[in-house]
Amino acid sequence: MEHQDTPNKLKALSIVLLISAICLIGIIFYAGNWESIAQINWKERIQQISEAVKERIAPGPEMIEAGYEAVDMSHSMPVFMTTLEEGSMIDVPLISQEECGYQTGCELVSGAMVLQYYGTEASPQDVYEVIPKSLTNWNADGTGADPRQVFIGDPQGMGGYGCYADPLIDAMNQLLNEEWHAINISGTSLAELEEGYLKKGTPVIIWTTIHMMEPGNGKRWKLQDGTEFQWIAGEHCLVLVGADEDYYYFNDPNYAGEVVGYERKTVEERYRQLGKQAIIISR
């Protein structure tokens, strides 16, 4: 019996010695650096760390308008996300919402990126200039604007909304020459977009959500035909430029200077939740 207890005693002794060694190292470190440690304002340091974390996960203006809290966004961020250096996918010019000052104009920025890919000099501001628009989501008569017909809100402000495919198609066709046309291919699966367009060098504008987070219920209002419209909180528009076994890759207006990859299954779900809206440019 005593022989069987020997390994257990040796194990316990080893643990005690390890803990003692760690404590001794801590004492030696403190003894050598006690003056620096004593000068640290730990309350201030903890506050700085807390603020840095909040800034890291703070929601963008589109999520603030939608009523998202920072903690909601952090739990909604996709686990599988990566970035890719320019040139590995379809080489669509990269433009960010930040650099053009359009806080809530992802559709305008996405449209401009694809227009520039096809040789126009159109900017996001040019797209906004010609797109059918309503500065407010409610008209004077109490009825609301329809994002399937117009771009809603001021893209430079935090209270902007955006639009769906048709208004953007309208604007892009006004800026394209007669050789090219923006075409609505909504309803096409992502697998079909990959095979039929990406592999042939054709970028695709699609609608998903910001950071591929779970969509929420935004504000509701009545349209002129009496039907009620439900805005999808977190709605986002971006340019699909490539794919591999694990990710779909995008020129995302929320990111400057890099192609962003989101996990395939997440993209497929968000694309479906936003109605499988998609636009290409073709002859």
Side-chain angles (χ1 to χ4, degrees):
M1 184 71 175
E2 183 179 350
H3 177 72
Q4 292 177 350
D5 287 343
T6 300
N8 291 332
K9 290 179 180 179
L10 290 174
K11 183 178 180 181
L13 180 61
S14 298
I15 294 172
V16 170
L17 290 174
L18 178 61
I19 294 173
S20 300
I22 293 172
C23 291
L24 180 61
I25 292 171
I27 291 169
I28 294 172
F29 175 80
Y30 182 81
N33 299 273
W34 71 270
E35 291 183 346
S36 299
I37 295 173
Q39 292 175 1
I40 297 175
N41 185 331
W42 289 104
K43 182 177 181 181
E44 180 180 335
R45 181 57 180 156
I46 292 171
Q47 180 65 26
Q48 290 173 348
I49 294 172
S50 176
E51 291 299 323
V53 171
K54 287 180 181 179
E55 182 177 350
R56 176 64 177 162
I57 66 172
E62 295 176 47
M63 283 176 283
I64 293 172
E65 171 63 23
Y68 278 89
E69 300 292 340
V71 65
D72 295 329
M73 175 188 164
S74 66
H75 288 294
S76 299
M77 291 280 281
V79 176
F80 300 107
M81 175 180 170
T82 187
T83 58
L84 191 73
E85 292 299 323
E86 215 177 334
S88 298
M89 297 290 161
I90 301 174
D91 192 16
V92 177
L94 281 159
I95 308 173
S96 72
Q97 289 173 249
E98 180 181 4
E99 66 189 72
C100 68
Y102 278 174
Q103 300 183 71
T104 52
C106 54
E107 300 91 348
L108 311 173
V109 176
S110 294
M113 285 192 277
V114 174
L115 286 169
Q116 289 184 15
Y117 176 73
Y118 285 94
T120 79
E121 296 181 357
S123 67
Q125 291 82 358
D126 292 328
V127 178
Y128 182 60
E129 188 69 27
V130 299
I131 199 168
K133 62 181 73 69
S134 173
L135 288 177
T136 60
N137 52 334
W138 286 282
N139 299 320
D141 62 3
T143 59
D146 190 339
R148 293 165 294 193
Q149 300 175 358
V150 296
F151 183 97
I152 303 174
D154 179 0
Q156 294 182 313
M158 294 175 63
Y161 282 78
C163 69
Y164 290 164
D166 284 338
L168 183 57
I169 289 171
D170 184 307
M172 293 174 71
N173 279 328
Q174 292 185 60
L175 296 168
L176 285 165
N177 58 43
E178 294 181 358
E179 184 181 0
W180 299 97
H181 303 280
I183 299 173
N184 192 335
I185 58 168
S186 297
T188 307
S189 70
L190 280 171
E192 291 172 324
L193 294 180
E194 181 179 352
E195 290 297 320
Y197 300 102
L198 294 184
K199 290 185 177 181
K200 297 177 181 178
T202 302
V204 186
I205 298 173
I206 72 168
W207 273 253
T208 61
T209 58
I210 302 167
H211 303 304
M212 299 297 161
M213 66 183 183
E214 185 70 32
N217 291 329
K219 293 181 179 178
R220 303 172 71 95
W221 60 83
K222 284 193 175 182
L223 303 177
Q224 291 184 352
D225 62 4
T227 60
E228 193 170 62
F229 178 79
Q230 172 75 67
W231 179 257
I232 299 175
E235 171 266 351
H236 192 46
C237 181
L238 57 177
V239 182
L240 180 60
V241 296
D244 60 23
E245 292 182 357
D246 301 311
Y247 299 93
Y248 284 108
Y249 294 94
F250 297 90
N251 280 20
D252 186 336
N254 271 331
Y255 292 89
E258 58 187 2
V259 174
V260 178
Y262 294 106
E263 191 267 340
R264 290 178 69 100
K265 289 184 178 179
T266 304
V267 176
E268 289 165 0
E269 179 65 8
R270 301 297 175 256
Y271 177 60
R272 181 192 65 79
Q273 290 170 316
L274 267 291
K276 294 186 177 180
Q277 299 180 76
I279 299 172
I280 62 160
I281 289 179
S282 181
R283 292 184 187 277

